[in-house]
Amino acid sequence: MNFRKWFTLIEMFIVIMIMWLIIWALWKMFTYKNITRSKYHTCYIHIDSNIASFFQYWLLQKEAYSWDKYEKVKNYQVIFNVKKQKIDLVYSGTDQKKEYLLSWDFVDNINDCHNVNYHTLISWENLKVVINPWLNPSKWQQEWIWMILYTWDNFENKAQNGSTWVVYFYYCPNVWTKWCLEKNKIEVDTRTALFKSYFCKTVNIKTWKCESWSE
């Protein structure tokens, strides 16, 4: 009888320990830091997937629905605007575009890119990617090309071809901090006319810089 009693107590102790571990795991999962980091990933996934879809629209020469009818797109533009901390996907020649606000001025209830306690930033160079229709490439510097990069404040004066450019995405734990984690990056390659997405595998906890990127 006593043996059964002790066995029951041991069983109850095991159950209590399991419940405590589950509660602890849920608490860790839903602490505010982890929630905001999860929201950052939601923001980045939305942006990255929409850039990928935008790129597919270019490959398929998809028309944009504009002013109650479908219009041919003059060119497809991905604009990383650092001054306003936003990203625009523009169907040039139509009224269609998608906008992602990354600044800390407002709460973003759509893409989870920022709220009052954290925000997402992009790296400190403006970049405009212009993708011409593949059946109608642009002639630039004696070469027929489909993708041109425009950098710095006056986009049109700093065109670059045959090069790559990297835009870094930072997770910033609060609005006023200067310390932001390097979490993701998008590489634009005009030679292959591709966007490539990477995530940080290892962050230096002292500098908050990424030491190892995905391949």
Side-chain angles (χ1 to χ4, degrees):
M1 185 72 180
N2 289 336
F3 174 76
R4 289 184 179 180
K5 182 178 179 181
W6 277 106
F7 186 71
T8 302
L9 289 174
I10 292 172
E11 286 181 319
M12 290 178 61
F13 177 76
I14 291 172
V15 170
I16 291 171
M17 284 297 297
I18 292 172
M19 290 180 64
W20 181 85
L21 288 171
I22 292 172
I23 293 170
W24 180 82
L26 290 172
W27 178 81
K28 290 291 290 183
M29 184 181 299
F30 292 103
T31 54
Y32 197 79
K33 179 187 291 186
N34 288 331
I35 289 174
T36 58
R37 291 193 184 187
S38 297
K39 286 185 174 182
Y40 162 86
H41 288 293
T42 299
C43 168
Y44 180 77
I45 289 169
H46 280 171
I47 293 172
D48 186 46
S49 62
N50 275 279
I51 289 177
S53 297
F54 190 73
F55 193 73
Q56 290 297 318
Y57 294 161
W58 164 67
L59 288 174
L60 298 172
Q61 301 295 285
K62 184 175 180 179
E63 295 182 340
Y65 192 75
S66 175
W67 293 293
D68 298 327
K69 63 179 180 179
Y70 284 97
E71 297 277 0
K72 287 186 177 181
V73 180
K74 182 180 178 182
N75 54 53
Y76 302 80
Q77 301 178 8
V78 182
I79 303 174
F80 299 92
N81 191 321
V82 172
K83 283 189 173 180
K84 295 184 178 180
Q85 280 297 319
K86 69 173 185 172
I87 298 170
D88 291 324
L89 306 180
V90 180
Y91 298 86
S92 180
T94 76
D95 66 344
Q96 290 294 310
K97 78 172 185 177
K98 289 186 177 181
E99 184 178 63
Y100 299 91
L101 295 172
L102 306 178
S103 72
W104 46 87
D105 295 330
F106 305 99
V107 173
D108 177 8
N109 293 319
I110 299 175
N111 299 298
D112 284 323
C113 290
H114 62 274
N115 63 25
V116 293
N117 292 295
Y118 82 99
H119 56 275
T120 306
L121 294 181
I122 52 176
S123 50
W124 314 114
E125 296 87 9
N126 287 312
L127 177 66
K128 178 179 178 181
V129 186
V130 177
I131 313 170
N132 294 294
W134 64 271
L135 292 175
N136 186 28
S138 171
K139 193 170 186 179
W140 176 259
Q141 295 179 344
Q142 310 301 315
E143 184 180 1
W144 291 98
I145 59 174
W146 291 272
M147 181 187 287
I148 304 175
L149 307 183
Y150 296 95
T151 59
W152 291 282
D153 295 338
N154 188 344
F155 290 122
E156 307 303 327
N157 289 340
K158 296 288 185 180
Q160 297 186 357
N161 181 39
S163 62
T164 61
W165 198 269
V166 176
V167 178
Y168 292 91
F169 286 74
Y170 304 107
Y171 163 76
C172 304
N174 62 67
V175 174
W176 304 112
T177 185
K178 294 181 180 179
W179 292 98
C180 301
L181 286 169
E182 284 186 350
K183 296 281 288 181
N184 298 86
K185 66 178 181 179
I186 292 177
E187 180 184 84
V188 185
D189 191 340
T190 62
R191 296 165 299 185
T192 56
L194 290 175
F195 290 84
K196 297 179 182 178
S197 178
Y198 303 87
F199 66 89
C200 182
K201 294 193 296 184
T202 308
V203 175
N204 186 316
I205 59 174
K206 293 182 179 179
T207 64
W208 287 33
K209 302 296 182 183
C210 184
E211 293 183 335
S212 174
W213 291 98
S214 64
E215 298 181 0

